[in-house]
Amino acid sequence: GIMAEAGTAKKTAGKKETPEEKLAKVCEEIAYDRKAENIIRLDLKEYSAVSDYFVLCTATSEPHIRAVAERIQRDVLEQLKIKPLHVDGSPESRWMIVDFGSVMVHVMDEDTRSLYQLESLWGDAPKSDAIKRIEAKAKRKAAADKKKRTAAAVRFFDVLIQDQSNRGTVSGGTGQMYLPPVVLTYSS
């Protein structure tokens, strides 16, 4: 019934990220850093014996295809100590596949991607827009950093004002505060 469904929804929300999901996310983030476009993850766990996830991304030229595919191999090895099982295709074929087994990354140019339509081949597979996810995460981080900076600035002024007013009363002076004209300048 409805209660049972609510229970399962909660369970999946709190579920820890699998190593496969982590690998897919890292591949998406590397592709994003290398300026790949239209980065989509297909969740094929229910649909394919080949891979759990396909990460599809578009590169703008042969050198760009090579750069994205090479960077994914290099950075995944560096960050997760994982090597691809194999790398297929070439920039000249306008489609490279970096195959990690559970995650298969397809780097294609626009024409190849429209020609083969991998997204519609697995039309029912859940899709996620990696660029939306990555940019939302960056926005959240920027907002949190700004909050931290603001809190630090407020604490700094509190201490400064406290210090000035104490000095005023100790010296028996007028109790007026002196604040330097520019204490903190922020570029938000």
Side-chain angles (χ1 to χ4, degrees), residues 25-86:
K25 275 186 179 173
V26 168
C27 290
E28 291 163 1
E29 284 158 13
I30 298 165
Y32 179 81
D33 283 342
R34 295 305 294 147
K35 310 275 187 279
E37 297 164 2
N38 192 6
I39 308 166
I40 300 287
R41 183 196 319 169
L42 298 181
D43 181 340
L44 299 173
K45 287 192 296 288
E46 312 289 320
Y47 300 93
S48 162
V50 183
S51 283
D52 287 347
Y53 298 105
F54 274 11
V55 174
L56 312 176
C57 63
T58 303
T60 51
S61 64
E62 287 179 15
H64 192 204
I65 292 173
R66 176 181 288 112
V68 172
E70 284 177 355
R71 180 58 67 90
I72 286 171
Q73 295 169 67
R74 194 189 81 190
D75 288 6
V76 166
L77 182 60
E78 211 170 85
Q79 293 176 35
L80 303 175
K81 309 289 178 259
I82 300 172
K83 277 186 168 158
L85 305 179
H86 44 85

